[in-house]
Amino acid sequence: MMRTSSHLSPRSAPRAFGVPAVLAASALLLAACAGSQPSAQETADDPANQGATTKGGAPKEASAPTPRLVLTHDEGITVLDAKTLKPVGEAGLDGFNRLSPAGDGRHVLVSTGDSFRVFDTGAWTEEHGDHGHSYTATPELTDKAFSADKSGHVVRHAGRTVLFSDGSGKVESFDPSELTEALKTGLPPTTTYTTPEAHHGVAVELEDGRLLVTLGNEDHRNGLALLDTPGSGRAAESVGPQAPARTEILRNEDCPGVHGEAVAGHDTVVVGCEDGMLIYKEGAIAKVSSPDPYGRMGNQAGSPASPVILGDYKVDKDATLERPTRISLVNTDTGQLQLVDLGTSYSFRSLGRGPAGEALVLGTDGSLHVIDPLTGAVAGSIPVVPAWEEPEVWQDPRPTLFVQGSTAYVTEPATSTIHAVDLKSGRVIKSAGLDHVPNELTGVTG
């Protein structure tokens, strides 16, 4: 394993950061979780939590929240019970479709190209003061959709879900807690903003209502801008296409090829560049530069439990498909960039975070590598699937990682299988065959 470092450019003064190693924190957190939550195997053995639904979509009360997994394949969408890995529903849908949680623990948004279509996973919890009531029903691909021109990134942050349309530059934001009620008659109220030029971009609404949005056009993308709240604040904000214009507060155009986003800790947002990463924090945008002239960090994974962003790291600008073996760790508190060579390549669907902020990378060697984000040390490697090779076409199926709580889920397209990995014990605790070759994978908490 090899590690190298870089630091934040002097555009803002970084704060010192010092906490115990994440694995020590992980041990404490996971021990606490173990005392209050049953393991995936224990829950799967409980007949009351077998992902039961009633025919016709009528809700059935469950004894506890029922997490579900959603995966795509050539024929449509399949929903699995996350604890038993048994199928609980399917929906037919042609084409290559992308999945993103809607942010309410129940619905998933399906990017179909011309819309973000709402998929109901059929698992939810209704809060009642100091307790909640959980329900399951038959999953359903609804007829409700947010219109889009080349539907792109979906970002959930600070109680808002933001949709970006690459073909028009439209940015649409809504409160996911209003989604279930709104779907009875239509869609929830939205606020909109349109970028000056359409591009493959992303937007993040901050806790105070301000908006971070990428800069670019069809030919190139080069930075990030911070926009003020519309009008005189969210309380006076109108909805829909007539919403007041947002005023630009600041921008940074030192980010060629800007791509992706992630959030570290509470409200620190990053986007990747072809030569580093931009960090928005406390009203300022700073640049962390790569040690290589071309050092792309276009895919990232953040955690509310860590100031460190996990990213990929590519150095061959002319490659049709680069299979990197190094990952990047960017500490948003100190501005330090650390490169870690895992000795195995990975894909853009290989990055995830554990419950205490552990960096997780699914390697083409078939193992899930657990990395301390503060030190860059590889704490362990969990064998999950046989060795594999990333396909040249990015839409093609490949082993994919999705993390929910202390369980990591890994698909194995070669055998149409899915595996559940318990991050507390570091072992595969359940595997199940699938009726279709899995492609995209996500989930909801129920």
Side-chain angles (χ1 to χ4, degrees):
M1 180 185 68
M2 180 178 68
R3 296 197 291 271
T4 58
S5 312
S6 183
H7 289 81
L8 184 73
S9 61
R11 295 175 63 95
S12 64
R15 296 180 298 167
F17 179 75
V19 297
V22 70
L23 296 185
S26 300
L28 293 173
L29 176 63
L30 295 176
C33 291
S36 59
Q37 298 178 350
S39 69
Q41 182 63 56
E42 291 169 343
T43 316
D45 292 338
D46 181 357
N49 289 300
Q50 293 283 328
T53 60
T54 54
K55 293 183 179 180
K60 178 178 180 180
E61 187 159 5
S63 62
T66 306
R68 287 183 167 177
L69 303 175
V70 185
L71 58 89
T72 62
H73 46 78
D74 284 345
E75 297 181 33
I77 300 171
T78 295
V79 181
L80 309 176
D81 182 283
K83 296 169 183 174
T84 67
L85 302 185
K86 294 180 179 179
V88 296
E90 288 200 345
L93 187 64
D94 293 334
F96 174 71
N97 302 292
R98 309 209 69 186
L99 302 175
S100 302
D104 63 350
R106 173 176 179 172
H107 296 93
V108 167
L109 298 176
V110 185
S111 299
T112 62
D114 61 356
S115 71
F116 296 93
R117 193 164 173 183
V118 181
F119 184 87
D120 186 351
T121 68
W124 70 95
T125 297
E126 298 175 1
E127 299 296 337
H128 295 280
D130 61 350
H131 68 286
H133 292 271
S134 298
Y135 301 90
T136 60
T138 303
E140 176 189 12
L141 180 61
T142 76
D143 59 0
K144 305 297 191 301
F146 298 87
S147 63
D149 181 357
K150 297 182 181 178
S151 50
H153 283 270
V154 177
V155 177
R156 301 158 305 282
H157 178 61
R160 301 289 289 184
T161 300
V162 182
L163 318 177
F164 197 101
S165 295
D166 292 348
S168 65
K170 181 176 72 171
V171 177
E172 197 166 14
S173 170
F174 67 92
D175 181 347
S177 69
E178 299 177 351
L179 187 56
T180 294
E181 185 64 27
L183 287 173
K184 296 176 181 178
T185 56
L187 292 169
T190 64
T191 60
T192 61
Y193 167 79
T194 302
T195 60
E197 296 181 89
H199 63 283
H200 177 54
V202 67
V204 183
E205 187 165 338
L206 301 174
E207 191 172 51
D208 59 10
R210 293 186 292 179
L211 187 73
L212 285 167
V213 62
T214 50
L215 302 170
N217 55 39
E218 291 184 355
D219 298 321
H220 69 277
R221 308 183 304 275
N222 64 345
L224 184 69
L226 175 67
L227 309 180
D228 206 348
T229 56
S232 58
R234 182 171 290 174
E237 191 174 323
S238 64
V239 298
Q242 303 304 316
R246 290 178 179 266
T247 302
E248 184 174 309
I249 300 172
L250 75 157
R251 65 166 52 197
N252 184 309
E253 297 181 83
D254 186 18
C255 188
V258 59
H259 186 269
E261 57 72 36
V263 179
H266 178 63
D267 210 31
T268 299
V269 180
V270 307
V271 293
C273 317
E274 291 177 350
D275 60 356
M277 187 176 286
L278 292 185
I279 300 174
Y280 170 80
K281 184 173 184 176
E282 298 175 351
I285 302 174
K287 174 74 174 284
V288 172
S289 296
S290 302
D292 300 283
Y294 181 87
R296 186 178 187 270
M297 293 180 273
N299 298 284
Q300 316 86 20
S303 168
S306 173
V308 178
I309 295 291
L310 165 67
D312 59 358
Y313 193 74
K314 295 184 175 182
V315 295
D316 188 349
K317 186 176 183 177
D318 299 321
T320 301
L321 173 65
E322 182 178 354
R323 296 185 170 95
T325 61
R326 289 185 293 176
I327 54 97
S328 57
L329 297 170
V330 177
N331 191 318
T332 62
D333 275 352
T334 66
Q336 183 179 25
L337 162 64
Q338 191 172 191
L339 300 177
V340 180
D341 196 325
L342 298 176
T344 180
S345 62
Y346 55 91
S347 86
F348 71 98
R349 292 186 187 165
S350 292
L351 308 181
R353 303 302 290 267
E358 311 97 308
L360 304 174
V361 181
L362 178 64
T364 57
D365 61 354
S367 292
L368 182 62
H369 302 276
V370 183
I371 304 150
D372 184 326
L374 292 175
T375 67
V378 178
S381 297
I382 307 168
V384 184
V385 298
W388 54 281
E389 183 175 85
E390 181 180 5
E392 291 191 2
V393 179
W394 73 267
Q395 295 97 332
D396 284 353
R398 79 283 309 282
T400 296
L401 171 67
F402 171 71
V403 183
Q404 189 160 258
S406 59
T407 304
Y409 299 93
V410 176
T411 58
E412 187 181 343
T415 60
S416 296
T417 305
I418 187 168
H419 308 278
V421 180
D422 179 18
L423 296 174
K424 294 180 288 187
S425 64
R427 61 186 181 90
V428 176
I429 54 172
K430 185 173 283 291
S431 299
L434 302 169
D435 293 332
H436 306 277
V437 177
N439 199 339
E440 292 237 333
L441 175 68
T442 190
V444 297
T445 57

